[in-house]
Amino acid sequence: MTTDSSSDSAAARLATIRDDIARAAAAARRDPAGIELVAVSKTHPAEAIEPLLGAGQASFGENRVQEAQAKWPALRRTDTRLHLVGQLQSNKADDAVELFNVIHSVDRPRLVDALARAMDKAGRRPDCFIQVDVGEEPQKGGVALADLPSLLATARDAKLPVVGLMCVPPADVEAAPYFALTAKLARDHGLAGLSMGMSSDYETAVMLGATVVRVGTALFGSRG
Ligand SMILES: *Cc1c(COP(=O)(O)O)cnc(C)c1O
């Protein structure tokens, strides 16, 4: 007989994280219903994901289109929301629009054009976040702060459904100032969505206004 201790613990970790989010939201006088927890399942197999589906988790994140195409068609339920949280090549725009409900990594005009064409073709319009390079780390993707206004104008002209800003702050430093900056930029540009906060800092992100937190390791364990 197999034990289901791993699924118990996945469900338990999920419950803990939801509690943490609710507590951080309460401290910031926010409604926790306005915060979407995305379970970042990249590199983890179906067996690790199923217990979370069973526990009622609806939102999942992947960072590679091909991996998501291989895993999710068989797994996804009618209420599953798939989020693309990794960098996206323009030549994968069609596949991404086909599969994902939300795309977090829009960061350059060429990708805006490719996504707009893909959406027209598919007749589907996934919500889009503009990823901002808050830590000036171009290798992570994200639009430079100086180029954000023009990229937003381009995305709006192309009729992308831009719902907010996304950031990945530098590792190993306090994330709060980067979250606060991203929140201010979103406010300045009239955007309500804020995708920020990962395993080590999702509570801080919630206090500073995150509407989407992207949590992998704290839910699934390390990616090895
Ligand atoms: C992997 C990843 C996450 C999850 O990171 P954890 O530290 O494992 O929670 C969140 N956002 C992005 C963009 C990622 O690539």
Side-chain angles (χ1 to χ4, degrees):
M1 236 176 79
T2 58
T3 117
D4 64 355
S5 64
S6 71
S7 61
D8 283 353
S9 58
R13 287 194 290 266
L14 179 63
T16 303
I17 291 166
R18 284 182 176 157
D19 281 352
D20 292 344
I21 290 171
R23 214 171 13 252
R29 298 174 187 271
R30 299 185 57 205
D31 179 357
I35 299 152
E36 181 175 4
L37 167 61
V38 174
V40 179
S41 50
K42 63 189 186 195
T43 79
H44 296 289
E47 306 81 76
I49 296 170
E50 273 155 357
L52 291 180
L53 288 165
Q57 175 64 22
S59 297
F60 290 85
E62 294 283 342
N63 70 337
R64 309 185 74 182
V65 174
Q66 263 173 313
E67 180 185 341
Q69 282 175 319
K71 263 167 31 183
W72 280 98
L75 275 173
R76 84 187 297 171
R77 302 184 176 187
T78 51
D79 68 340
T80 298
R81 276 167 60 80
L82 282 187
H83 295 247
L84 179 64
V85 301
Q87 291 182 44
L88 176 59
Q89 292 169 278
S90 301
N91 64 9
K92 298 262 172 61
D94 284 309
D95 292 335
V97 164
E98 204 63 53
L99 186 65
F100 289 96
N101 302 91
V102 187
I103 295 172
H104 290 244
S105 45
V106 179
D107 65 357
R108 57 200 190 279
R110 206 173 116 82
L111 181 57
V112 167
D113 292 343
L115 285 169
R117 272 198 308 276
M119 288 183 195
D120 287 341
K121 201 157 88 187
R124 290 186 90 228
R125 309 195 83 74
D127 285 344
C128 293
F129 286 85
I130 304 281
Q131 182 177 348
V132 182
D133 181 14
V134 277
E136 298 184 64
E137 301 173 290
Q139 75 283 4
K140 278 191 179 169
V143 62
L145 293 180
D147 298 331
L148 175 61
S150 72
L151 184 66
L152 257 173
T154 302
R156 284 169 167 161
D157 285 348
K159 308 246 174 343
L160 280 206
V162 177
V163 298
L165 300 182
M166 179 273 215
C167 74
V168 182
D172 306 322
V173 297
E174 178 54 59
Y178 298 97
F179 292 157
L181 172 59
T182 308
K184 178 180 185 326
L185 290 168
R187 251 189 337 268
D188 290 350
H189 290 285
L191 293 165
L194 270 179
S195 168
M196 57 190 201
M198 312 189 347
S199 288
S200 57
D201 50 28
Y202 58 88
E203 290 160 294
T204 306
V206 166
M207 304 260 241
L208 292 168
T211 62
V212 181
V213 294
R214 312 176 309 264
V215 177
T217 311
L219 265 175
F220 291 99
S222 96
R223 289 180 289 271

